[in-house]
Amino acid sequence: MKDAFGLTYSGATEAGFSSYARAVHELQCFIGDPVSSIDRAIGENPGFVMAHVFKGYLFGLATEREATAVAKACYEAALPLAATTREQAHVAALGHLAGGHWHQASRILEDVAIDHPLDAVALQTGHQVDFFTGNARMLRDRIGRALPAWQKDMPGYHAVLGMQAFGLEEMGDYGRAESFGRQAVEIEPRDGWAQHAVAHVMEMQSRQRDGIAWMRANPDAWSTDSFLKIHNWWHLALFHYDLGETDEVLKLYDGPIYGDRSTLALNMVDASAILWRLALGGVDVGDRWAALAGNWMPKAAAGNYAFNDAHAMMAFVGAGLEAPAKTLLEAQREAMRGEDDNAVFTRDVGHPLTLAIKAFGEGKYDEAARLIRPIRSIAHRFGGSHAQRDVIDLTLIEAALRAGDTALARALTVERQLARPDSPLSALFSRRAADLSEN
């Protein structure tokens, strides 16, 4: 089989490729059930090598230990199958991803996209790897290199624009990022990634009212049957949080963010992140921590992705649970002895940050600040976006204020006011630092 872009798919028939194409479209919009679609493709064509690879990518990018086992099985199924040179490179990339070697997978996918800029799966998988490794430059450049080969009437063009928008945003090119993102949503209103890229722009520019209007204009488009919907609702909650509208934040948390109490790590990360922000501001979140921590507990010993560990610790601290917190730290110490990329993620950023969160919860604010300060400039190494990693700065500022460290608190609040001059939260921090100085 050849697709509309002239790319060959070994082992595929028309029926199998139809299901594969559906899975690709679903992933490009973050809607539907791409796993079911790709399983149908494999059922139709057991020798369809890219179907096995695509399924492996879906599970390999889930950041769940159990999902990684599925990704490895997909790699083993794909390995002996007939494949073109391009497809063999995909199989190799999946093998590295399933083995925890994110950076090696990234480099192989980079070369695939250089040779085949219309390979949408290479672009999107590579883009997601860039996100999970915090590689802002490649988030932009991987897509930017391929963009000239794409035309507006090509299937999936919206997804390329949306990815380019997010890469531009993470590199601080906000004007062009918003333009690309809006174009993508205009072409495909259900493109949750493009919707989220524009939300990121507004978050970084402290355009809270614009952000609320953007997210509330057509929520059915980006939330219906979307597996990115919780993250996008989280973005809406951030805008309300910055405005001090905590009742609205809690309403969103109890509704679309965590009303269903998802046990997927990617969704629990968002839940932890919003509750932790509220707790930093002194908001009583009631028994919400207990329910969230209960869902994090089975993952406490996973030690497979440092970014998740930090957010699990937020829940354990919030719920006052010492045993799973201890288990998590032990799992991190074990992870740091490994040879995969997460050993580095954990050693460089994840472990000191997780210790800092625990220290903060114990009222050891000086210790929390001491642990966070050296990692702020390298925090991108353990993944996430600028908006997600902002919780590190928020925790440091709050630790300095609570510790009564007047000089540090003043320095940090001046820094934030400069970076986000239009943020009500920046103004609040500045007033609190000033009060500290007077006292």
Side-chain angles (χ1 to χ4, degrees):
M1 285 289 301
K2 284 186 182 288
D3 67 6
F5 305 108
L7 299 174
T8 299
Y9 289 84
S10 304
T13 64
E14 193 169 326
F17 185 78
S18 176
S19 294
Y20 176 86
R22 179 180 177 85
V24 171
H25 173 69
E26 288 172 327
L27 181 60
Q28 287 176 329
C29 291
F30 289 80
I31 61 173
D33 188 353
V35 174
S36 291
S37 296
I38 205 64
D39 278 342
R40 283 195 297 274
I42 293 170
E44 289 277 355
N45 303 137
F48 185 174
V49 62
M50 281 305 297
H52 292 283
V53 169
F54 186 88
K55 182 176 180 178
Y57 284 154
L58 290 175
F59 282 87
L61 294 168
T63 73
E64 305 265 8
R65 175 179 276 182
E66 298 80 6
T68 300
V70 178
K72 289 178 179 176
C74 291
Y75 167 67
E76 290 166 2
L79 200 57
L81 299 177
T84 64
T85 301
R86 178 185 67 88
E87 291 168 330
Q88 288 171 352
H90 271 289
V91 173
L94 173 59
H96 288 303
L97 180 64
H101 299 289
W102 295 75
H103 295 299
Q104 287 177 273
S106 171
R107 283 189 286 273
I108 292 173
L109 288 166
E110 179 184 356
D111 288 341
V112 172
I114 287 171
D115 291 337
H116 305 279
L118 296 177
D119 187 331
V121 171
L123 289 174
Q124 188 169 10
T125 305
H127 187 71
Q128 290 299 311
V129 170
D130 295 335
F131 170 74
F132 286 116
T133 57
N135 190 339
R137 180 164 179 177
M138 280 303 294
L139 278 167
R140 178 194 66 186
D141 294 345
R142 183 188 301 272
I143 310 304
R145 295 167 178 173
L147 192 59
W150 286 79
Q151 297 175 13
K152 190 171 184 177
D153 60 348
M154 289 178 171
Y157 179 66
H158 66 90
V160 179
L161 289 180
M163 289 186 288
Q164 184 69 91
F166 185 61
L168 288 166
E169 178 277 322
E170 287 296 287
M171 288 298 288
D173 192 346
Y174 299 130
R176 289 202 298 165
E178 183 171 350
S179 175
F180 275 98
R182 286 183 179 274
Q183 288 177 58
V185 172
E186 185 176 341
I187 294 169
E188 175 52 86
R190 302 206 65 194
D191 187 333
W193 191 257
Q195 176 77 26
H196 128 284
V198 176
H200 268 270
V201 170
M202 294 170 176
E203 167 68 19
M204 298 309 294
Q205 293 183 320
S206 297
R207 293 162 54 197
Q208 298 85 14
R209 296 298 179 195
D210 287 348
I212 292 169
W214 170 249
M215 299 305 290
R216 292 195 181 276
N218 190 12
D220 286 347
W222 54 259
S223 66
T224 302
D225 199 25
S226 169
F227 47 94
L228 194 64
K229 64 183 178 182
I230 287 175
H231 187 65
N232 272 328
W233 285 115
W234 177 81
H235 272 284
L236 176 59
L238 285 190
F239 294 125
H240 287 292
Y241 168 75
D242 207 343
L243 292 171
E245 298 169 354
T246 55
D247 287 345
E248 188 61 35
V249 176
L250 287 170
K251 182 179 175 182
L252 287 167
Y253 181 90
D254 292 336
I257 293 176
Y258 210 62
D260 290 340
R261 298 189 177 181
S262 171
T263 58
L264 295 176
L266 294 175
N267 293 334
M268 292 196 292
V269 161
D270 289 331
S272 287
I274 204 66
L275 286 190
W276 187 258
R277 281 167 169 80
L278 290 169
L280 290 175
V283 176
D284 182 1
V285 301
D287 61 357
R288 294 174 179 86
W289 277 126
L292 178 57
N295 284 342
W296 271 119
M297 284 175 67
K299 302 179 190 294
N304 66 302
Y305 186 52
F307 193 83
N308 292 352
D309 294 341
H311 289 82
M313 182 59 82
M314 293 174 191
F316 298 148
V317 167
L321 299 176
E322 182 63 33
K326 182 179 179 182
T327 298
L328 190 153
L329 291 172
E330 289 172 352
Q332 283 195 320
R333 284 189 280 270
E334 178 64 28
M336 288 188 285
R337 289 192 281 269
E339 296 182 355
D340 60 4
D341 288 342
N342 186 57
V344 181
F345 301 161
T346 306
R347 184 166 56 248
D348 288 355
V349 181
H351 190 57
L353 177 59
T354 303
L355 288 171
I357 291 165
K358 189 171 188 295
F360 188 99
E362 294 168 348
K364 300 174 182 175
Y365 303 120
D366 286 328
E367 176 72 0
R370 184 189 68 79
L371 286 163
I372 291 175
R373 287 180 67 187
I375 66 172
R376 280 205 310 157
S377 62
I378 60 168
H380 63 278
R381 293 181 186 174
F382 90 141
S385 65
H386 293 304
Q388 288 177 305
R389 294 190 301 269
D390 188 44
V391 74
I392 300 172
D393 284 335
L394 294 173
T395 304
L396 176 58
I397 293 169
E398 191 61 37
L401 288 166
R402 295 192 189 188
D405 189 335
T406 305
L408 179 59
R410 184 171 60 247
L412 293 171
T413 53
V414 167
E415 170 190 291
R416 189 170 187 87
Q417 187 72 47
L418 184 64
R420 297 182 182 229
D422 298 321
S423 164
L425 187 59
S426 298
L428 175 61
F429 281 140
S430 295
R431 289 195 298 273
R432 291 178 60 197
D435 292 342
L436 203 62
S437 299
E438 292 172 5
N439 295 331

